[in-house]
Amino acid sequence: MAQFLIVEARFYAHLNDQLIDGARRALEAKGHSVEVLTVPGALEIPGAIALAAESGRYDGFVGIGAVIRGETYHFEIVAGESARGIMALTMDGIAIGNGILTVENEAQAQVRADPAQKNKGGEAAEAAMALLALRDKFA
């Protein structure tokens, strides 16, 4: 049994609740323990994961949030930099599933967040578990 930390940017609470539900279900179905940590926004997710990874308390991580395109360039910065930060940590051997939605509108986000539809939270948890298994295999 592994210990996973879900790090969520709680900007869209109703979407996050669904994403976390999907991730939690996937992790707990495999017998893993889950904690949730909330950060202000998607840009803070990689930093929080890095700090938590240094603690040695967690085996894997799932980043959860939603970045919805608005009227400014801010969308591109948040979407790109949060993904880049997670990818950099993954390349350092940290098992992370990226469940940060980057969508054009809230309707797209709803479909992707809902565990009964696209279940991107569950998919992110599955990715984190797969990376953890690979890390263990090659350790």
Side-chain angles (χ1 to χ4, degrees):
M1 177 170 85
Q3 178 68 37
F4 280 84
L5 180 66
I6 296 172
V7 179
E8 65 145 344
R10 192 104 184 127
F11 197 80
Y12 296 99
H14 64 292
L15 297 171
N16 280 21
D17 288 344
Q18 293 178 80
L19 289 163
I20 290 169
D21 182 46
R24 184 183 296 277
R25 284 186 200 185
L27 293 165
E28 290 177 348
K30 302 290 185 181
H32 301 302
S33 297
V34 180
E35 291 181 44
V36 177
L37 174 69
T38 301
V39 297
L43 289 174
E44 288 75 40
I45 291 173
I49 290 173
L51 292 170
E54 287 179 13
S55 78
R57 292 174 36 198
Y58 304 99
D59 301 296
F61 303 88
V62 180
I64 294 291
V67 182
I68 300 175
R69 185 178 299 278
E71 297 176 3
T72 68
Y73 185 69
H74 186 66
F75 170 86
E76 280 82 6
I77 293 169
V78 175
E81 291 302 310
S82 62
R84 186 197 59 76
I86 287 173
M87 182 57 68
L89 293 170
T90 302
M91 297 299 289
D92 287 339
I94 300 173
I96 307 170
N98 186 350
I100 303 173
L101 304 178
T102 52
V103 296
E104 295 293 325
N105 55 57
E106 193 165 336
Q108 289 177 349
Q110 180 59 50
V111 169
R112 285 157 180 77
D114 186 350
Q117 294 185 57
K118 296 217 180 230
N119 193 21
K120 295 300 181 180
E123 287 181 12
E126 294 289 345
M129 289 186 284
L131 287 172
L132 180 60
L134 283 174
R135 187 181 74 194
D136 291 347
K137 177 180 179 176
F138 295 120

